[in-house]
Each structure stands twice: as structure tokens, then as C-alpha cells.
Amino acid sequence: MTSKEIISLLPYEQPFLFVDSLSAISEEGTTGHYTFKNNEYFYKGHFKNNPVTPGVILTECMAQIGLVCLGIYLMKDMISENFQPQIALTSSQVDFFLPVFPNEKVMVISEKEVFRFNKLKCKIKMFNSNEELVCRGRISGMIKTSNT
């Protein structure tokens, strides 16, 4: 399964798709990128005259690249026209260190910790274009395996 196929299976679309590309994916984790465009809807009010990417959006970007893309890859043998995987976030714990500004490109790296009983848990880190740690944490989700 290619990275373009994985991205096409994501259950998101603009303006809530935070994956531009995947540069690595394996049974053990993913590496992907996203550039926060200066016209993103959330910059209009966060913060007045000094736009900063909200932490909840950074967490969502980490979850989409590091958890959902990996979950789709891990279930690639089950995916068909009749079955599209659905992944729901169950928990997140993220520590933030640096802000992300408009037009900034980030890299997300995830490492699978556990995948059993349809639950995926990953350690995920986000870096800015200077390779500085922006945030890191653990994110978990449940994968729906039936089409009912």
C-alpha cells in the first residue's frame, strides 16, 4: 500500500485534513509532513494579530499522521470496497514545547507501542523545519473492523 493510497483512505477532507505526505511507513511506525497554511480557518481567532496553531490542532495532526495512517497501514489486508477502516481517538497525552506559526512545515514521527484487540497506541513526536521538538506524547485509538 502506497502513502498516496493511505492518505486517500483517511476519513478527513479539507479543512480538517492535516497530512500532506508520508515519507516512511512500516509495521512499527510512520513519518509524515504537513504545512500549516497561512489561511487555515483557526488562525482568524487564535491569537488576535499573532496567529499560532492551537494545541488541539497540533494533536490532531499528530493523530492523523501517527495513529490513523499507521492504523490503515496495519489493516491493509482487510481493506476493500466493502470495508473502510474507521479509527476513533480514545486518549491523548501531549506535552507542548514550541509554537507552530502559519506557513510552518512540521514532521511527525510515530512509533507503535501496542496494537492488539483493535486498539493502537503510539508514541508520537512533532518537529519543526529546524528539527526542534514542538511536542510529543502518546495517542491511542480504537479501530472498527466491521462494516456494520
Side-chain angles (χ1 to χ4, degrees):
M1 177 171 275
T2 69
S3 61
K4 286 186 181 197
E5 290 171 320
I6 291 168
I7 292 170
S8 74
L9 290 170
L10 289 170
Y12 317 104
E13 60 185 28
Q14 296 299 333
F16 210 74
L17 175 63
F18 300 112
V19 182
D20 287 333
S21 65
L22 297 173
S23 56
I25 190 151
S26 73
E27 298 281 327
E28 299 306 314
T30 62
T31 300
H33 303 87
Y34 184 73
T35 300
F36 288 94
K37 293 121 191 106
N38 66 351
N39 63 346
E40 304 271 11
Y41 69 93
F42 44 79
Y43 287 133
K44 290 182 181 173
H46 194 268
F47 291 98
K48 196 186 308 185
N49 300 320
N50 185 27
V52 176
T53 309
V56 67
I57 299 295
L58 297 177
T59 301
E60 181 65 26
C61 179
M62 292 170 68
Q64 287 185 18
I65 293 172
L67 187 78
V68 181
C69 288
L70 180 58
I72 289 170
Y73 180 80
L74 293 173
M75 301 198 57
K76 63 185 179 285
D77 295 336
M78 297 178 64
I79 295 172
S80 69
E81 275 186 40
N82 297 327
F83 172 70
Q84 300 296 310
Q86 298 176 351
I87 302 175
L89 184 70
T90 57
S91 68
S92 64
Q93 181 276 314
V94 178
D95 295 316
F96 300 93
F97 304 105
L98 294 172
V100 173
F101 299 104
N103 292 319
E104 196 163 351
K105 183 177 183 177
V106 296
M107 177 176 61
V108 174
I109 300 173
S110 77
E111 178 184 330
K112 178 183 75 178
E113 287 192 314
V114 175
F115 180 51
R116 67 174 171 252
F117 306 119
N118 299 331
K119 185 168 185 176
L120 177 60
K121 181 179 181 181
C122 298
K123 283 195 298 191
I124 304 177
K125 295 179 182 178
M126 178 183 284
F127 298 89
N128 63 22
S129 57
N130 294 326
E131 298 182 8
E132 299 168 310
L133 183 64
V134 170
C135 50
R136 70 173 172 223
R138 286 185 163 77
I139 301 177
S140 301
M142 293 293 296
I143 302 172
K144 182 179 176 187
T145 58
S146 69
N147 55 3
T148 58

